[in-house]
């Protein structure tokens, strides 16, 4: 007779995502949404309150800034993979040594990248606004805030990646949400009180300050825990 049509085997009865996996996925989604949402919200504030010329300057600085910081993912991914492997096998000291070496690299590259961004500020601004010297000058000034943030972006990317490798998803997600809410509220107030694109970029710089404070505290607790103090024990043998 004719062969029966092929059908995929039924999934096992216990093939349901575990609550821990669901929680991890939601935490990662929340963290990513807060990061991207902050940039989108700041851009919308600049567009609504300052107009087309301001959002054009903001977009130019953002594009050049992204060119200089996307490479920060390379040492961050390396730190995440290596730290996760060592922490999973109980070799915390080894993970801490690798983190220190990568941190030195990211700090050095961050400073060098900031210098490169400052050098590219004038040519990039004039290239995007060749017929508008005032807009080019204003955009050049914006690059100062972008350059200030670059030395924070590189080590922060490493610290957050190490925390992800250590499984601290909820810690990062919760505090990234809190930081995003603070920065978004501050951006509205700053742009309203001082209508300039630099006000928005000052708040974005504050966003990176808050993030590196959070991530560095988390990495310190994870890789460099404080030694426990052992108190003295006195045995009472009765009154003399």
């Amino acid at each position: 007779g004719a062969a029966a049509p092929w059908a995929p085997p039924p999934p096992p009865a216990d093939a349901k995502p575990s609550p821990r996996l669901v929680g991890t996925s939601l935490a990662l989604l929340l963290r990513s949404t807060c990061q991207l949402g902050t940039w989108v919200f700041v851009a919308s504030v600049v567009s609504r309150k300052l107009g087309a010329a301001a959002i054009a300057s903001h977009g130019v600085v953002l594009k050049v800034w992204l060119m200089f910081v996307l490479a920060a993912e390379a040492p961050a991914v390396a730190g995440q993979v290596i730290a996760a492997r060592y922490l999973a096998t109980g070799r915390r000291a080894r993970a801490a040594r690798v983190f220190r070496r990568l941190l030195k690299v990211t700090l050095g590259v961050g400073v060098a990248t900031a210098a490169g961004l400052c050098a590219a500020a004038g040519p990039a601004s004039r290239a995007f606004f060749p017929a508008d010297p005032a807009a080019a000058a204003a955009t050049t000034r914006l690059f100062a805030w972008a350059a200030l943030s670059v030395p924070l972006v590189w080590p922060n990317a490493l610290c957050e990646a190490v925390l992800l490798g250590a499984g601290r998803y909820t810690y990062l997600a919760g505090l990234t949400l809190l930081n995003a809410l603070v920065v978004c509220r501050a951006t509205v107030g700053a742009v309203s009180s001082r209508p300039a694109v630099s006000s928005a970029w000052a708040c974005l710089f504050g966003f990176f300050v808050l993030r590196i404070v959070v991530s560095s505290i988390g990495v310190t607790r994870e890789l460099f825990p404080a030694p426990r103090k052992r108190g003295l024990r006195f045995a009472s043998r009765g009154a003399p």
Side-chain angles (χ1 to χ4, degrees):
W6 179 87
D14 58 346
K16 295 181 179 180
S18 65
R20 182 176 181 181
L21 178 60
V22 173
T24 298
S25 301
L26 290 176
L28 290 173
L29 177 62
L30 175 61
R31 173 177 171 267
S32 300
T33 302
C34 291
Q35 291 174 344
L36 295 177
T38 300
W39 285 100
V40 172
F41 181 84
V42 170
S44 68
V45 170
V46 171
S47 178
R48 285 186 291 107
K49 293 184 176 292
L50 303 179
I55 196 63
S57 298
H58 173 77
V60 167
V61 177
L62 179 59
K63 288 180 177 66
V64 179
W65 179 85
L66 283 173
M67 266 195 325
F68 281 85
V69 301
L70 285 178
E73 293 298 323
V77 171
Q80 178 178 350
V81 173
I82 296 173
R85 183 179 64 184
Y86 286 144
L87 290 173
T89 55
R91 292 181 286 178
R92 189 192 304 269
R94 190 76 177 271
R97 287 196 296 270
V98 172
F99 171 77
R100 284 195 188 98
R101 288 199 294 268
L102 288 174
L103 182 61
K104 292 177 182 178
V105 172
T106 56
L107 289 172
V109 176
V111 172
T113 305
L117 187 59
C118 289
S125 300
R126 290 190 294 272
F128 280 97
F129 301 102
D132 193 343
T139 304
T140 302
R141 289 191 292 271
L142 283 185
F143 275 102
W145 286 108
L148 280 175
S149 69
V150 171
L152 302 179
V153 172
W154 282 75
N156 178 70
L158 173 64
C159 291
E160 290 189 352
V162 169
L163 287 175
L164 291 175
R168 304 303 183 190
Y169 310 105
T170 305
Y171 172 83
L172 278 178
L175 289 177
T176 303
L177 172 61
L178 178 61
N179 292 341
L181 293 175
V182 169
V183 170
C184 289
R185 181 66 186 89
T187 301
V188 174
V191 174
S192 299
S193 61
R194 183 177 175 273
V197 191
S198 58
S199 300
W201 272 88
C203 294
L204 288 172
F205 173 74
F207 186 43
F208 285 108
V209 171
L210 292 174
R211 286 176 62 185
I212 198 169
V213 168
V214 167
S215 61
S216 59
I217 291 175
V219 168
T220 300
R221 291 177 176 175
E222 187 67 33
L223 299 183
F224 310 98
R228 295 181 179 179
K229 296 181 180 181
R230 298 181 178 179
L232 297 177
R233 296 181 179 179
F234 296 92
S236 176
R237 298 184 179 180

